[in-house]
């Protein structure tokens, strides 16, 4: 339920911002902005997706871990998705993701979080199970 409330609040703020901007530059300008942002988002996702695939292949052939390429590509693809979603706040967040200095900081943070997880190695779950005949299952 709280997620729905958050979504409704976010949508309301986006709508108010779009209406205010429409008062300043006109409805046509806002529609042009939203269409251009969506087109840019689609372009970025296609371009970065292909570039990330190439980097992953090169890292795999070189025997390296492709972690940084995945993170970098993921940030740009995330920004592209935010640009596709109509709204001025989402466009602003997308631009923040695209700023090189912030992206580098995000990469360093993600690497710092992921490094201890990678050192631990694979996780093995151990457990026991028992087969229960259908006649003993609870009736629903």
């Amino acid at each position: 339920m709280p997620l729905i409330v958050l979504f409704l609040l976010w949508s309301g703020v986006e709508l108010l911002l779009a209406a205010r901007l429409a008062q300043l530059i006109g409805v046509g300008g806002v529609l042009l902005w939203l269409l251009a942002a969506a087109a840019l988002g689609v372009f970025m996702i296609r371009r970065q997706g292909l570039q990330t695939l190439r980097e992953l292949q090169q890292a795999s052939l070189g025997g390296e871990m492709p972690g940084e390429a995945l993170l970098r590509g993921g940030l740009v693809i995330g920004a592209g998705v935010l640009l596709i979603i109509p709204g001025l706040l989402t466009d602003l967040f997308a631009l923040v993701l695209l700023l090189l200095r912030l992206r580098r900081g995000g990469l360093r943070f993600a690497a710092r979080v992921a490094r201890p997880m990678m050192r631990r190695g694979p996780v093995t779950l151990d457990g026991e199970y028992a087969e229960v005949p259908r006649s003993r299952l609870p009736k629903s």
Side-chain angles (χ1 to χ4, degrees):
M1 187 70 163
L3 202 55
I4 293 173
V5 173
L6 183 64
F7 175 75
L8 290 174
L9 285 173
W10 184 272
S11 299
V13 170
E14 289 280 17
L15 191 60
L16 288 173
L17 284 174
R20 180 70 179 131
L21 188 62
Q23 289 176 344
L24 294 173
I25 65 171
V27 174
V30 173
L31 290 177
L32 187 63
W33 169 295
L34 294 175
L35 287 174
L40 178 65
V42 169
F43 171 75
M44 286 175 46
I45 289 172
R46 287 188 65 176
R47 190 178 125 249
Q48 189 63 40
L50 292 173
Q51 183 177 344
T52 302
L53 280 176
R54 278 193 297 272
E55 289 178 8
L56 289 174
Q57 287 174 343
Q58 288 174 351
S60 295
L61 290 174
E64 303 170 2
M65 289 290 289
E68 188 174 333
L70 280 174
L71 288 173
R72 201 174 37 250
L75 285 174
V76 175
I77 289 172
V81 169
L82 286 174
L83 283 171
I84 291 172
I85 297 170
L88 302 173
L89 281 178
T90 54
D91 291 351
L92 179 68
F93 285 132
L95 293 176
V96 167
L97 279 179
L98 291 175
L99 291 175
L100 187 59
R101 183 167 275 174
L102 290 174
R103 200 170 359 152
R104 283 187 185 149
L107 286 172
R108 280 194 301 269
F109 174 76
R112 207 172 338 138
V113 169
R115 202 168 282 128
M117 292 180 198
M118 291 180 0
R119 278 193 206 120
R120 281 187 240 143
V123 176
T124 303
L125 299 177
D126 190 22
E128 296 179 15
Y129 73 95
E131 250 182 81
V132 178
R134 282 194 180 272
S135 61
R136 295 191 57 205
L137 292 175
K139 306 266 190 255
S140 35

